[in-house]
Each structure stands twice: as C-alpha cells, then as structure tokens.
Amino acid sequence: MGKTKSSVSLQWLIAWSMVICLLAMASLTVWQGYRGSRTLLIAAANDAAQQLGVLLNERSERLLGPAESALRILNYDPLAQSNTLEQRLQRLPVLIETLRSNRTLSAVYAGYPNGDFFLLRRVESGLQAGGRQLPRGTAYLVQSIEHLAGANVQGRWLAYDNQGEALREVAVSDYRFDPRTRPWYQLAESASDIVLTEPYLFFTNRNIGVTMARRNPDGVVFGLDASLQDLAGEVNDLRLTPGTEIALVGERGKVIAYTDLQRIVTDGAEGLQLATLPELGVPVLEAAQKMAGDARDPRLLEHSGQQWYVLNLPLRKVGNNPGSILIAMPAKELLAGVRDTLRDQARLVIGLAALLLLVGWALGQRLGQPLKSLGDQVEQLAGFDFSTPIGVRSRIREVNDLSKMTARMAKAIARFQTITLTLSRETHLERMLDVVLEQLIAIAGGQGGAVYLYDEDDGVLRCAGDNRPVHYPGSVPMDDALLKDPARSLASQLDDEHRYLTLALRDRQGDLQGVLVVEVSPLLTNDAVRSLRQFLGSLAGTLAVAIETRQLFDGQQLLLESIIRLLASAIDAKSPYTGGHCDRVPQLAEMLLEQAQRADAGPFASFSLTEEQRYAFRTAAWLHDCGKITSPEYVVDKATKLETLYNRIHEIRTRFEVLWREADIRYWQGRAAGEDEFALQQTRDAEQARLREEFALVAKANTGGEFMAQEDRERLQVIGKQTWLRYFDNRLGLSGDEQQQLIGVPAAALPVEEQLLMDRPEHLVPWGERKPPVAANDPANRWGFDMELPAHSSNLGELYNLSIARGTLTAEERFKINDHIVQTLIMLSTLPFPKALARVPELAATHHERLDGTGYPRRLSAEQLSVEDRVLAIADIFEALTAADRPYKEAKKLSESVRIMLFMARDQHLDARLLALFLSTGVHLQYGRRFLAPEQLDEVDVPACIDQLRGWGLLDD
C-alpha cells in the first residue's frame, strides 16, 4: 500500500469560515428586505383585486336587478290569459315600455303550455333579423307562433316603429318554434321562482347576456333577455397594471367579458357563439382556471417563461350557477419597484463580497472540492444508485475517514436493499433463498452458506438453498437435540474447517421453520462477529416471515385451485349431460390462448399476458359454468316435453285408458239395451283405433325433435278438446307448493268434466321473490344484465309443452338453462378475489356473448370483448360440439364441428381471427387426439376454411 499523505484537521479551517458566514448574513439581510417589500406589495394588489371583484359583482347585480323586477310584474300581466295574437298585441304598449325602461333588456316574450309563443324584440343594428329584410324605421319586432284549429301552426313577424305603430308584416312562412323545447322554458317549468340561464351570445345583436324566465300560476312562462355587455367596459377600466389580464368566465367555461371584445365571439360549427378560454388565446388565464383549489389569494404561477400572480374570484348573478373572475398580473410589472430597490442593495453587497471572495476562494477550493465529490456520490446513493464507486482522497483527515465509512455504508445498504427487495417481490421460495443467502455471505465475508427448512412429514432438516454445497449435507435427520437447540446442534454437525453463524428460523407462532447457516470471514474480530450475529438475528425473523408467507401463499393457491376443480367436477358429476365439460374447456382454452401469445405476426402479434393474468384466465376457465350448480336437474336433463320431475306422459296415457274403457262401457251398455251388436262393435273399434292413433301422435310429440309441423300442433289442440269425467278431488294429497298454486282457482263440483289435454291456471308458476334481476331496467340489476325475462318462472301447461316447435324445452326452461351464466357472475362477484384475480367473475361470465351484441347475459359488443373472452367462447362451443358424453345428441366429427363454427363466425357469433388461429396452429387436432374418439378425427381442410373466412371478408389479406 502507498504511504498515506499527511492530513490537516478541519478545526483549523473554522476561523476562515467566518468570512463566508459574514457574506451569507449580508445576503440574507438583503433578501429578507426584498421579501418584506414584495409581501406588502402583493397584499396591496390582493386588496385591489378583491375590490375589483366586489365592483364587478355589484355591477352585474345592478344590470340584472331591474330585469328581475320587470319579470315579476309581467308574471301577473293579462298577456298570460291572451289566447290569440290580436289579444296579445293589445299588451304591446306594456311590453315596449318594459324594454324602454331597461336598456339591458333586448327581448321580452311568453311561452304558452299549448306551444304558442309571443315575443317583442328591440331592433338596434340595421334592418336585418334572422336573415330577413325589415321595413325602414323598424324599432321593434313581434315574433308570434299560434296553434290554430286543425293542428295548424302559424308563424308571423310584425314590424313596429319607435312609437309602437305597426309598419307591416314580414313574410316568414317557414317560421316554426316550440318554446316548450327551450332550456329557459323547461328550467322555469320545474322551478317555483325566477330561473337564470348561463350567459350566451344573442343572435340578433351579438351582445352577451342571459335569459331570465318564470312560470306564472296559469302555466305561462315569461322570459327576458338581459345584456351583460357593459361588464366588458368595467373589465378594461379596472386593470391594475398595463399587462394585467382579466376575464369573466361563466360556469360552463364560456368567456363573458374581456378587454378585447372582438376575441370573445367565435364562428363555430353551430354559428356565432361565445369563446371558451382556450379559444380566447390567453394561455395564462387558461392555466389559472386549471389551478386546484379556490384561488382567492394571489398565487404565483410560472407560465411561458414568465411569472404571474393569479386570482380566481366568484362571479355572481350570471346564471343559476356562479361564474369566475380570472385575474393574472405580471410579476415583473407588479414587483418592478421592489426589484429596483433590491438591485441597489445588491450592488453594495457585491462590492463587499468581491473583497472577501479573493480570500474565501483559495480556502473553499481546498475544502469544498473533495466534499463536493463525496456529496455527489452520496446523492447517487440517496437515489438508490449503487453502481458508482464511493470514495475521495483529501488532505483533510475527517474527509478521508468520512469517505471510507461512506463506502462501507454504501455496500451494506446495497446488499440490504437487495435482500429487502427480494423478500418483498420474489414469489418463488427457492430463488428468494438463493439471493438472500448470497447477500448474507457477502456481508459476512465468508465463502458459503445454506438455508435448511424443516420437513415435518419426513422429520428432517432439508437443504432448500445453498452456496458451495460441498460443505453442507443435503438433509439432516431431526432428533431431540435439533428440536431443543437447532442452531447449535446443526453447527456441531458441520465441518471444523470453517467458521459458521447458525440461527434458528421460527414463524409467528414460534414453531421451527428451519436453520440459517452463514460462513464468516476468519478476519472478523469477535466484536464484529457479535455485531453480525445481532444483525442476522434481527434479519432472521423477517426471513422466517417471508418463508412462512410464501409457504402459506403456495398452500392457499393450491387449496384454491383444488376447490375450484372440485366445484367443476361436482358440476360435471351433477348431470350426465355435461360430464367432463368443466374439465375439458379450460384445457382447450389454454391451448388456444398459448398460441395467441406465441403469435409474432398478424392480429395477435402484440397480444401478451402476464403470469398473473394467465392465472386469472385459467381460474375463470375452470369456473366458467359454476352457475350450473343452481340449474334444476329436471330442466338440464329434460328428455321429453312433458317431463318435470317425472314424465307426465304416463298421466296423459291414463286419461286415454279412461276413454278406451268408456268406449267399452258404451258398447256393453248398448248390448244390454238390445241395440245392434255389429253397429256397436264397429263404433267401439273405430273410437279405440282413433284413440290409439291420437295417443301415438301425443307420445311422438312428447319426444321432441328438430322441427314440429304446424298441422301436428293444430291436431294436438283438437285432440286436447276431448273430455273425460273426473270423480276424485284433485286437491287431496298435495304438497304445500301445489296447494299454493291452486289459490284463486275455484274448486269444481264432482264429477267434473275435463279436457284430455289442458293448460290450467295452476300450471303457471310465478317468479315470486326469486325473480332474477336480468332486465336492463331492473333497479336490482347492478351487473349490467340485458336479458328478456319470461313472464312466469315455469309453464307446465300440457298443450303448451307438447307444442314446443324444436327440442323439449319451453322458453321458461331455456331461460333457466341460460340463467346459469347469470348465476355465475352473481356468485363470483360476491367472492373477495384478490386484485390479481379481480377480472375472474367477468371472464367467467362472458363466454356466451357474441360479437354482434346479441349474446347473453349482457349483450356486450365486439369492442367490449377481450381476447380472453373470445378464446373462452370458442373453447366452450368446440367442446360442446365434439363432446361424446351427451345422451341427447351424437358427437360431431371434427369437420362438422369446424363447419358449424365457420358459419357462427360469419354470423358474428365468434371471432373469425381467433378461429383461423385455432385451425392454422392445429389446436383443434391437438385437442381431438387427446379427448375425442378415433372415429371423430376426420380430415379438416384448414386452408379451405381460412379461404372461406377470407372470402367472407372476416380476415385481412
């Protein structure tokens, strides 16, 4: 090592530092004087600005106060009872005098409940109004809308001079106006007092103003247009400095007044209108409006390289909601005098400092440069940058010592930071132990180490992480000595060639988790080893908690997955019709999702999921049909139309048996009466043959099918109208629910004649309190369902069920089948999923949605369906088509299933791009080889299928 240079004690430099302190004190004095003067000036400017706000608010009240009085008087004018234009024109002198008495008013009008409208407008600028030429001398214009007999609407304009004398009528054949649709009418109609609109630009004179309106007791709404134009003059006259910017802004951001009137009006898509702050072109006012909070006191704002003091004061009486007074004063102009004083004082300080700097420069150079370098390095440490080497060389002893300690501290912090980040972020236990062990070995200066975890099942301490494993056994049998003092007992079983620190790891309950072994450098002193043991002892608790947390997380995750799969297996086992569905769909969905993530070109090139998102998708796939646990088995397994908990065809057959025996009885009664035997026999045989044929038709209808002819349904109606006699009370031996269904149904006197097939009132089962909230307008529907709810929970009518056109399910039963997806979302939404699994309910309940928005349960559009939603939909449909464990249908071959899915993609039920990926990557064949019978694995012409999708315009070329 090189010879250490001699150092100078820092204390010798303290005397020289007094020179610097003197300079700092002078500077501080000057700065405090500047701040005091600036504060006083800003306070004065604030008082002036507050007075400006008071003046503007008083001015706005003076402008609008008389208009309010006039409107209150008009509210009781006979004009409200006038029903014709002639009657309303009789009140014209009163309206003209109202406009003359208040120059801020530009129009007065009345809107009637039947849609009539009567308006008097002041004409000030030229002879144009609404693009039409007015007679010379026109001072007032009457605009009238009348609803005449026969639903005719007549619009008229009448011109009057300054004395109120009629000039002539202006042709306006296309003039139509309904006051009931205007905001002022609707606001007044729902209010008990005067309402005030937001400021806007008047069409006729382009002045800025507001509309006042009030509804009188007869339902007529009177309105006045009041101008706010004079406020602009107030704004221009009250600027505090030449560069001060002032603007009055309404509640919706429209500029009411500004120093330059030409900039307030803009020509937009809807014609001339008030400009917004961005359209005004004064960025500092726009920035002042966006400042958070109520800026009633001046705030300093940096904008476009210039400092401004801004205020945001409330502006009253410009609408139903208050507006704002925005004031921006240039700091340069406001503080000009203070800065001049500061410059004079600074010149004096600079003169004195020039003398002191010559002395302080040499002293500061020697003292400051090493400290500055060390400070820069420490600043990088503060920013968690440990890549830069720490250390400086100086002739000052204290600086050298500080440099060495800082370097050691930096290394310790870096390693401790790595340990902390690893314990908090690393989810895999093995990787976490390897990183933590590596850092602990570096801190101890040793050559190796290990972490042993207690395997309670095997009764051993098993090495879960090690460095240089040649020193450490893979496992150590647990004995009484290890249980009593695991750290010391394990240390005694290691070799004597190295120096070790061993610490027991215990969980929060104090149970043994394992032992930490760290090899220590032989160069460390005993005091250093004791300090290191104390540090490792505090860290061991954190490490034990981290180990316990990961073991608990792994166990909980395993338990959750087991419960999910148990639920899926229970649903599959509940009905033989869906056996294995909940097991196969997740596997197929993950196959397709994997291919979408692997795609490096095409529509899915940018698609990717994190490990957490994939786990959420996998969980949702296993739970996608969990709502089927609520589906009634007699509906899911319904094989015939009359089946409920049993097949009611047996009850129908018994009635046919009754009619058969009645035919026999009539035959023998005829024989006993001496009638012709041959005729009686012919009649009996014909009737019984007919009954046999009719029951065959009923039985055939009961089995269902792809299609039932209309003539068969009509014949069922005829068959059902046959009657038979019931001699026994049908209200005996019933359950409570059956008795409830008969409430309100009158009991018939026995014997009673009944039809052979009937739809009885008690066959209609109401929803009651179990009505599912699936209608879009249902207040209880907080999940966004949009499904059509049948009028009844069930309809057990015999003719109603036998007349089902396709299959065996009624509309009510099909809803019960579809309701499983509703229950899936409701059930899963009640579970407290962690943040990583927050999308599981939505993912699990979306696989029956369609791209065209006709799916269920929420009628989501294509834009609302994610790639994961579309993947799960394809998996669900393909599994259902190819499943061989459905007793009610034959398993379809690969080619037939693909053909059906192609047409579903054409009809915007499935994603054509995902279907193309499904076929082109061979997922369909991979799934088929794993789950389908050999006879289902026929050839699928994948290129032809892709061309077919492309020919329909569903794929990009």
Side-chain angles (χ1 to χ4, degrees), residues 809-828:
L809 298 179
T810 64
E812 293 79 8
E813 290 164 341
R814 289 193 180 277
F815 178 81
K816 281 185 172 64
I817 295 294
N818 294 343
D819 185 55
H820 82 275
I821 201 67
V822 172
Q823 299 304 322
T824 294
L825 184 55
I826 293 177
M827 290 165 55
L828 295 181

Side-chain angles (χ1 to χ4, degrees), residues 419-482:
I419 293 174
T420 304
L421 292 177
T422 302
L423 292 177
S424 61
R425 295 181 180 178
E426 181 56 63
T427 58
H428 295 282
L429 179 61
E430 293 78 9
R431 289 203 295 264
M432 180 194 76
L433 294 177
D434 289 341
V435 174
V436 171
L437 191 59
E438 179 182 355
Q439 299 303 317
L440 291 179
I441 293 171
I443 292 175
Q447 300 297 319
V451 176
Y452 286 87
L453 297 182
Y454 178 34
D455 187 341
E456 190 172 0
D457 293 335
D458 294 339
V460 297
L461 283 176
R462 197 178 305 280
C463 186
D466 53 48
N467 190 294
R468 297 184 66 184
V470 68
H471 296 310
Y472 311 102
S475 62
V476 178
M478 182 63 69
D479 53 21
D480 292 340
L482 275 173

Side-chain angles (χ1 to χ4, degrees), residues 773 777-783:
N777 59 353
D778 192 332
N781 181 5
R782 57 186 177 87
W783 300 273

